[in-house]
Amino acid sequence: MKRRTFIKFTTISLLLFNSNISIAKTVSKDMLKNLDEVLNIIFPKTSNMPSAKEFGALNYLLTNISHKSFDDEDKTLILDGTKDFIKAFPNFLNLSKDEKKEMIFAIIKNNDYAKSWVSKLTYYGIEAMFSDPLYGGNTNQITWSSTNHSIGYPRPVKTYGQKI
């Protein structure tokens, strides 16, 4: 990403955050495909752990990003970062898995904005791995099983402080 684009994004974002303007966000199919693929590069399937696709990282992210309590700064970074990523790397989905991995590691090494974007995706990916399935991730308690996690009780019945 060019320096001017980064500065422009930062300035606009700060103005929006400070004025508490709520902006309606839409997520295109292209954004979904790219987010899903990036999450699967960050969280690949291993011999012990499921992939992002298997534990529902994208579903968790989409379920939670649309909630009113989701942090607006995080929402802007994730959505705008995804749009910027697609603009900068329009052929990403056509690359091999190794080329995708190489690209992601290269851009986070050389670009703080990209590093923040991938870091935020990683943060929410980890939440998706270990949260209660009620919140949209950890499909069928797959990561709890993979890590021999003892489930805490009582488990939540409703999400985000809804009255029971």
Side-chain angles (χ1 to χ4, degrees):
M1 170 179 282
K2 293 182 180 176
R3 185 170 180 244
R4 282 186 190 196
T5 306
F6 176 75
I7 291 170
K8 185 168 89 174
F9 167 77
T10 305
T11 305
I12 291 169
S13 295
L14 287 174
L15 289 172
L16 293 175
F17 299 151
N18 289 334
S19 60
N20 292 324
I21 296 172
S22 177
I23 299 174
K25 303 281 185 179
T26 58
V27 182
S28 69
K29 286 183 182 180
D30 198 31
M31 288 175 67
L32 291 175
K33 288 177 188 175
N34 278 274
L35 271 172
D36 192 37
E37 196 59 35
V38 170
L39 285 165
N40 278 295
I41 296 298
I42 297 170
F43 298 100
K45 181 173 182 59
T46 67
S47 59
N48 298 326
M49 293 297 289
S51 68
K53 192 175 295 272
E54 292 173 315
F55 65 77
L58 183 62
N59 184 57
Y60 175 86
L61 184 62
L62 293 175
T63 300
N64 290 285
I65 205 168
S66 62
H67 193 271
K68 65 182 177 185
S69 66
F70 196 88
D71 185 75
D72 284 336
E73 263 184 70
D74 290 358
K75 184 184 301 185
T76 300
L77 177 60
I78 290 167
L79 296 178
D80 289 348
T82 303
K83 288 176 190 172
D84 293 338
F85 179 78
I86 293 167
K87 272 187 211 169
F89 308 102
N91 295 321
F92 175 72
L93 294 175
N94 299 326
L95 300 174
S96 72
K97 188 174 184 177
D98 288 336
E99 289 171 325
K100 290 174 186 174
K101 183 178 176 181
E102 215 173 283
M103 177 188 285
I104 290 171
F105 282 104
I107 64 171
I108 64 175
K109 184 177 180 183
N110 298 314
N111 185 299
D112 288 338
Y113 175 63
K115 185 184 236 176
S116 295
W117 176 67
V118 171
S119 176
K120 199 55 70 176
L121 291 176
T122 303
Y123 173 83
Y124 286 107
I126 292 169
E127 275 193 5
M129 287 174 80
F130 294 107
S131 67
D132 193 283
L134 175 71
Y135 297 102
N138 192 13
T139 308
N140 298 321
Q141 302 177 10
I142 192 169
T143 51
W144 288 351
S145 298
S146 298
T147 58
N148 295 321
H149 172 71
S150 297
I151 300 169
Y153 291 99
R155 289 185 50 201
V157 178
K158 295 195 177 218
T159 60
Y160 309 111
Q162 295 173 343
K163 294 190 180 198
I164 300 174

